[in-house]
Structures are given as C-alpha cells and as structure tokens.
Amino acid sequence: MSDQCSQPGPQDGPPPPRWNPIWATGSQSNGALPGAAAGHDVAIRAVAMAADGRFAVTADEAGDVRLRDAATGRQIGRPMRDEGGAGQVTVTVIDDRPRVITGSGPEGTVRVWDPATGRQAGPASGFPARITALAAASDSLLAGFGCDVAVLSPR
C-alpha cells in the first residue's frame, strides 16, 4: 500500500525560498543593509504592495502615508497625511498613475490620494464601521468594514 499523503522529508525537493532584504527604512534597520531609506518617525501601522510589484505604501500611527518604489525604497512624490489615522492602506495604478488608498478612523472613511501632490484625489467614501481591510486592482477596490464587504469602482 503506497503512502500518497506522506509529507516530504527534508531531503526531498528543493529547499523553500529564503527572503533576503533588498532595502529598508533606516530608523530600526542595520546600517549595513543596502538601500536603507528614511523611515517614519512613529510605528508603522499598515503596509501594502501594488499587484504589479512596482510600488509599496506604508502608513504610520500618526497618519503619515508614503509611497515608495518597491525595487529601490526611494520615496515617490510627497508624503500624504490621513488625519483619520490610516489603519489600512493599499496602492493601485489607475490610468498608468499610482493611487494610494487609505481606510481610517472609527467612522470608516476611505480616501484616494495622489502621491505626486500628496493631496486627496476626490471626495472620501464613508462606511458605517471602521475599515478593517483593503485590497485594490486597477478597476476596483475591496473594502472590509464591520461584518461587511463592499466593492467600489474608480469610475
């Protein structure tokens, strides 16, 4: 009788990939780490990466939100300031331009930002509960709030 459900042993197959740092923000990282960039002044609350891997976005406890080139760590555009406290962030590309999306505050506000200017792009969307999760694609945004989920379109 063959054992088709057995787990492979350590010698079976290639080893799992090892994640190696390529850049980091400088406040808590080892100074020898290549590509260390300026960091946030307070603790990071949320991070996300664009689906195409070109952009990374970070938000801290003070509501400062920064877009970075995912390959180099270099900041793109101006920092954004979500006064609601950006508990969730995501980044997408719309019409070949990166857009940062934040979910903040107990009131459940979703904001879209233009990192080139550091300003909010359009009106905020409100939900009846705190935004607990965000995910974006170029043609839609998925927002989790309370026990519900909403899909939004940028057009």
Side-chain angles (χ1 to χ4, degrees), residues 40-102:
H40 288 268
D41 294 330
V42 296
I44 299 294
R45 178 182 274 185
V47 298
M49 178 96 57
D52 64 6
R54 292 189 294 167
F55 305 104
V57 63
T58 59
D60 67 27
E61 290 179 342
D64 288 333
V65 181
R66 298 174 190 215
L67 181 67
R68 296 183 185 275
D69 178 296
T72 66
R74 196 169 303 129
Q75 186 172 308
I76 298 171
R78 298 176 181 266
M80 293 144 280
R81 176 85 175 166
D82 189 328
E83 297 297 335
Q88 299 293 321
V89 292
T90 191
V91 58
T92 189
V93 178
I94 301 172
D95 297 329
D96 207 34
R97 296 179 65 193
R99 295 290 188 214
V100 171
I101 303 163
T102 61

